[in-house]
Amino acid sequence: MEVYVGLYIAILGAALAVGFAGAGSSIGIGNVGQSAAGVLSEEPEKFGNLLILVALPGTQGIYGFVIGFLVMQKLGLVTGTIPSVSLQQGLQILGACLPMAITGYFSGIHQGKVGAAGCGVVAKQPKDFMKAVIFSALVETYAIFGLLASFLILRGIQL
């Protein structure tokens, strides 16, 4: 019985990494998308620059999926060879997934806010577009830290 509990807890960790990072990305993209649509209604020629700002919060969802996939691979869910997972190992995997889940959720939302403000920069100061991208990328840094922490912790867990 304990073997299955560990496995379930580990799968919960993967689900949290994918789900929370994806939720942060979707909220962030929604925020930037609303602002970009407002700019596009008056200046459709700025679509290319706005698309970059809208797409940036989507990376958190990708990072969360990467961590979720690594957990599924570690648990043998991809190959069908599922190892014995103790409760302690399941909790370790859950803990390893939390940095990506938390940073993915919050950085996706806040990157969307920064990107939405960047749409104003594109509308009023088009030559400063890259400054808006850099501000948005600064938020991304913390999602990358979460990705790296989750990756390194996962690599250290022995099944």
Side-chain angles (χ1 to χ4, degrees):
M1 180 65 182
E2 186 177 316
V3 172
Y4 295 117
V5 172
L7 180 63
Y8 296 149
I9 290 173
I11 291 171
L12 174 65
L16 289 175
V18 173
F20 274 97
S25 282
S26 64
I27 293 169
I29 288 173
N31 285 338
V32 183
Q34 289 175 348
S35 295
V39 173
L40 278 178
S41 68
E42 295 191 16
E43 302 174 83
E45 70 278 2
K46 294 181 177 174
F47 175 77
N49 287 348
L50 293 169
L51 178 63
I52 292 171
L53 290 173
V54 172
L56 280 173
T59 55
Q60 283 83 352
I62 296 169
Y63 301 157
F65 181 77
V66 167
I67 293 301
F69 183 78
L70 289 174
V71 170
M72 288 186 269
Q73 189 176 33
K74 189 174 210 65
L75 295 174
L77 298 176
V78 177
T79 61
T81 308
I82 301 173
S84 174
V85 180
S86 70
L87 176 61
Q88 290 78 17
Q89 290 168 325
L91 288 170
Q92 288 173 346
I93 292 174
L94 172 65
C97 293
L98 290 180
M100 186 65 253
I102 294 167
T103 61
Y105 181 75
F106 287 108
S107 70
I109 291 171
H110 289 289
Q111 193 170 32
K113 291 178 182 177
V114 173
C119 290
V121 173
V122 170
K124 294 181 180 177
Q125 303 288 333
K127 65 179 180 9
D128 290 332
F129 161 70
M130 283 309 296
K131 292 177 183 173
V133 171
I134 290 170
F135 286 148
S136 189
L138 288 174
V139 179
E140 178 94 14
T141 304
Y142 296 95
I144 293 171
F145 290 158
L147 173 68
L148 286 173
S150 289
F151 177 79
L152 293 172
I153 295 168
L154 271 176
R155 297 279 299 164
I157 298 171
Q158 301 294 319
L159 293 183

